[in-house]
Amino acid sequence: MKKIIAVLLACALVLPCFAAKKKGTKVGVSMPTKDLQRWNQDGANMKAQLEKAGYVVDLQYANNDIATQVSQIENMITGKCNVLVVASIDGSALKNALDGAKKKRIPVIAYDRLIMNTNSVSYYATFDNYKVGTIQGEYLVDKLNLKNRTKSDPAYIEFFTGSPDDNNINFFFGGAMDTLKPYLDSGVLVCRSGQTSKAQCATLNWSTEEGQKRMENLITSNGYGPRGTKLDAVYSSNDSVAMGITNALVAAGYTKANFPIVTGQDCDIGSVKNMLKGTQAMSVFKDTRTLAEKVVGMVDALLQGTKPEINDTKTYDNGKGIVPSYLCDPVYADVSNYKALLVDSGLLHRSSA
Ligand code: GAL
């Protein structure tokens, strides 16, 4: 009993001490853009959870403009932020700005996207990005029945990934390609355009418009259409690009009855609506509330001088060494489970999906 009282007393003395230390402690949160739904969710979650934990939050969005993000980070440093949380636009463009943070001993957490070629990043919090790619790839193996197909009756596919300056595409596209390559090699899966390299399939800034343009070009040059050349599937690494692909396929005359299988990621509301309409097959759900929770835990630990929780110390090399990481779990999503994932979990209101 005495021991319990002693522990309680110690807690009572230490906790207010930590709370007092946190009062006014400032965290800078730099997000890439407000254009895509997920980053709005990420920013809002981070702000809410950090404020709940007692921090003052400087949340900035950089409009997908690298110079804006650099200057916002510089302002966070001069504005005396104690920790920086950064989701980069171009993972390789922040070295100088973050070296400035290191000089002032401000720890930097890379948020969702790894920041490259600098040793000024302390930790990385993200999802298992390779698993995202394999979930998408395995879905295609299954739905295209690749295990039982023969070369005389192959399935036809085109490939799209995201922004070439985002390290995540190595994992999304890499995971999907590792899964699909044996079938491309054996000829039961065919990409008529021949565009299967990461560079050929990249979509700058994960832009819907760019994705749509490239899909329109592929439709024109290969003659794809419900009454034209056969197209069974389009691999897309995420929802914003899938949206452009779907727009182009709808314009080419495809309907629910004959729509090619389009993959995605993020469960953007627009893509969930397309899944309900039958114009996108699946997505991958990444609960950004969990990610925010893990990052707040990292911020707490860094400010208390303890070790943040990590679960991966071998996957994410940023060119200067491995960045210790926490990987959250991505989950397969389609019309059968989107309600449980998005609505019942309290993320969305019933009216929005
Ligand atoms: C990636 C992110 C994806 C997707 C994409 C476009 O870095 O991991 O979830 O949202 O950016 O914003």
Side-chain angles (χ1 to χ4, degrees):
M1 188 63 184
K2 263 190 191 158
K3 253 193 192 162
I4 296 174
I5 292 172
V7 169
L8 286 177
L9 262 175
C11 288
L13 288 172
V14 169
L15 283 179
C17 200
F18 179 53
K21 197 169 98 202
K22 280 194 346 187
K23 201 160 193 282
T25 303
K26 208 164 154 188
V27 181
V29 179
S30 170
M31 289 282 150
T33 177
K34 277 195 164 181
D35 287 353
L36 299 184
Q37 184 197 319
R38 82 149 282 189
W39 302 111
N40 289 295
Q41 251 167 26
D42 286 279
N45 289 335
M46 281 300 301
K47 190 166 166 13
Q49 293 196 28
L50 283 166
E51 283 176 351
K52 199 166 159 220
Y55 296 103
V56 175
V57 181
D58 180 2
L59 168 64
Q60 302 289 337
Y61 288 88
N63 201 19
N64 260 343
D65 181 57
I66 298 165
T68 303
Q69 185 162 48
V70 168
S71 92
Q72 287 173 342
I73 290 173
E74 285 168 353
N75 287 339
M76 288 172 183
I77 297 168
T78 49
K80 301 212 174 348
C81 283
N82 301 78
V83 180
L84 299 183
V85 177
V86 179
S88 57
I89 299 164
D90 178 340
S92 301
L94 298 179
K95 187 189 175 314
N96 291 346
L98 296 184
D99 284 352
K102 193 174 189 184
K103 266 191 211 129
K104 300 213 161 154
R105 305 170 75 96
I106 302 169
V108 176
I109 299 168
Y111 184 96
D112 195 64
R113 297 172 172 173
L114 187 56
I115 301 169
M116 309 302 286
N117 304 321
T118 168
N119 49 28
S120 302
V121 179
S122 313
Y123 289 94
Y124 180 35
T126 187
F127 289 82
D128 185 337
N129 296 310
Y130 188 80
K131 185 172 172 186
V132 171
T134 58
I135 291 174
Q136 296 164 330
E138 278 159 15
Y139 177 80
L140 289 168
V141 170
D142 183 38
K143 293 293 166 194
L144 295 172
N145 195 23
L146 295 182
K147 286 190 175 139
N148 302 312
R149 278 193 113 100
T150 56
K151 264 175 79 170
S152 57
D153 178 29
Y156 293 94
I157 190 167
E158 292 292 344
F159 293 94
F160 286 68
T161 191
S163 205
D165 49 12
D166 182 345
N167 182 56
N168 283 350
I169 72 166
N170 295 315
F171 294 85
F172 303 148
F173 191 71
M177 275 307 193
D178 286 351
T179 312
L180 295 172
K181 190 163 179 304
Y183 303 99
L184 286 166
D185 288 347
S186 72
V188 297
L189 182 63
V190 173
C191 175
R192 284 188 202 268
S193 71
Q195 296 175 12
T196 54
S197 75
K198 192 181 60 182
Q200 288 170 318
C201 301
T203 314
L204 188 65
N205 282 336
W206 298 90
S207 150
T208 298
E209 293 71 27
E210 289 303 313
Q212 183 164 341
K213 257 191 247 160
R214 182 163 167 259
M215 191 67 236
E216 285 165 358
N217 288 338
L218 289 168
I219 289 169
T220 313
S221 51
N222 294 281
Y224 293 132
R227 272 175 295 279
T229 312
K230 190 164 172 267
L231 179 64
D232 297 297
V234 183
Y235 167 80
S236 168
S237 286
N238 94 328
D239 284 352
S240 59
V241 176
M243 180 60 79
I245 295 164
T246 288
N247 291 345
L249 293 173
V250 168
Y254 287 102
T255 61
K256 188 178 177 156
N258 52 26
F259 217 79
I261 296 166
V262 178
T263 63
Q265 167 189 193
D266 289 334
C267 286
D268 284 350
I269 294 177
S271 283
V272 173
K273 288 185 175 157
N274 283 349
M275 291 199 286
L276 291 168
K277 280 192 259 173
T279 55
Q280 180 174 326
M282 58 83 76
S283 189
V284 177
F285 175 61
K286 303 195 300 189
D287 198 329
T288 51
R289 294 168 298 186
T290 313
L291 183 60
E293 204 180 291
K294 292 297 167 189
V295 175
V296 173
M298 282 184 174
V299 170
D300 279 342
L302 285 166
L303 291 171
Q304 288 172 71
T306 59
K307 277 215 163 9
E309 183 188 357
I310 51 170
N311 61 8
D312 185 285
T313 51
K314 53 179 196 298
T315 309
Y316 287 98
D317 189 329
N318 78 344
K320 292 282 178 192
I322 302 272
V323 182
S325 310
Y326 190 94
L327 313 186
C328 305
D329 201 31
V331 178
Y332 168 83
D334 67 8
V335 282
S336 71
N337 66 348
Y338 86 94
K339 263 196 191 130
L341 293 173
L342 304 176
V343 183
D344 304 348
S345 79
L347 192 68
L348 295 181
H349 296 294
R350 206 157 281 273
S351 54
S352 38

